[in-house]
Amino acid sequence: MSDMDTVAKDVWIFSKPFARGGLIPIGGRSTAVKLSNGGVWVLASTPLSTETKSTLDKMGPVEYIVSADRVHHLFLTEYKTAYPNAKVIAPADAVERHGNKDLKVDGIWGKDPPDTKYGFEDDIQHCYFSGFVNKDVAFFHPASKTLIEADLLFNLPATEQYSKSKTSGKIPVFGGFNPMAGPLLALLGRWARTESMRSLHPCLFVDSEWCEFARAMKRDAKTVSQWDFERIIPCHGDVIEQTGKKAWLDCYRHYLN
């Protein structure tokens, strides 16, 4: 695969090398879906390069710019500047953390009612993980049987994302995890603190708030498990073809049993 590629009809990915903290190579990826009305939905997780913009413009008018969780918000303003008529939809934590407080946000997961419709639901379903440490949103594109997500699941090493880099994309010492749930890799970074265990192993704790996180994780992991997908496009690591449902069930089996 090149830095830009189509993985299914009307589904494009834009992959880049990215190392967490400059040390842990996990790769980065944006995903774009052409909607049935001709518009374009974008999970904006990487810079809007000239090549990326050219591809998006050829796909159609960008109508939605989406942040998938609290940390994948860095390029929202960049995309909104390029596509001023597009709606920005993001989790509440992402909006709070974003540097541009003047950014117009049209929908906010975690603040809007759970059954809020943002306009793209005829083509893409969504599930907000309120119990996940990064407040992620999972997206399902039924037409291509594709699950699109950011930190809910990693598929490392990030071979495709580092395919044009001088480095291999392998994780130092470990080499890779294939696939793995996002919270495990998070322990290598800033999230290595007791609070992050709320979503990682909430069953270990008896605090009522943490039990609430566990119930939310169980509910949302089940919702995604009921979607009819075969492919997973993660922000970090290689695309999982055909066996995506199995990878999801394996990663979240403790919440699904």
Side-chain angles (χ1 to χ4, degrees), residues 88-249:
V88 175
I89 317 292
D93 282 24
V95 175
E96 181 179 343
R97 291 163 61 90
H98 192 64
N100 178 13
K101 301 306 179 184
D102 294 326
L103 176 66
K104 183 180 184 297
V105 180
D106 302 277
I108 302 178
W109 284 290
K111 284 191 176 180
D112 296 336
D115 58 350
T116 297
K117 305 296 184 185
Y118 299 107
F120 52 78
E121 286 78 10
D122 286 347
D123 297 277
I124 299 174
Q125 300 173 33
H126 48 91
C127 178
Y128 172 63
F129 278 69
S130 61
F132 192 76
V133 62
N134 266 0
K135 306 301 181 185
D136 274 63
V137 185
F139 304 96
F140 174 47
H141 182 235
S144 65
K145 293 193 173 184
T146 300
L147 173 67
I148 304 169
E149 51 84 25
D151 290 347
L152 289 165
L153 183 148
F154 290 62
N155 185 33
L156 303 177
T159 305
E160 182 258 331
Q161 291 160 319
Y162 276 81
S163 60
K164 291 190 175 183
S165 172
K166 294 181 180 179
T167 58
S168 68
K170 290 184 178 180
I171 299 174
V173 181
F174 295 100
F177 302 89
N178 187 25
M180 59 172 289
L184 298 181
L185 188 70
L187 293 179
L188 299 176
R190 176 183 55 79
W191 303 321
R193 60 175 186 263
T194 303
E195 183 181 359
S196 71
M197 299 297 286
R198 290 178 173 178
S199 65
L200 183 58
H201 290 301
C203 57
L204 298 178
F205 304 96
V206 296
D207 181 276
S208 61
E209 183 182 3
W210 289 2
C211 289
E212 182 180 342
F213 278 84
R215 286 193 293 269
M217 285 296 295
K218 195 175 186 70
R219 176 197 66 214
D220 298 330
K222 181 179 179 181
T223 294
V224 172
S225 72
Q226 293 173 339
W227 289 344
D228 183 23
F229 61 92
E230 299 174 353
R231 175 188 298 106
I232 297 180
I233 302 178
C235 280
H236 307 297
D238 289 352
V239 173
I240 303 174
E241 295 283 0
Q242 300 180 335
T243 58
K245 174 62 78 69
K246 181 179 184 302
W248 180 267
L249 296 177

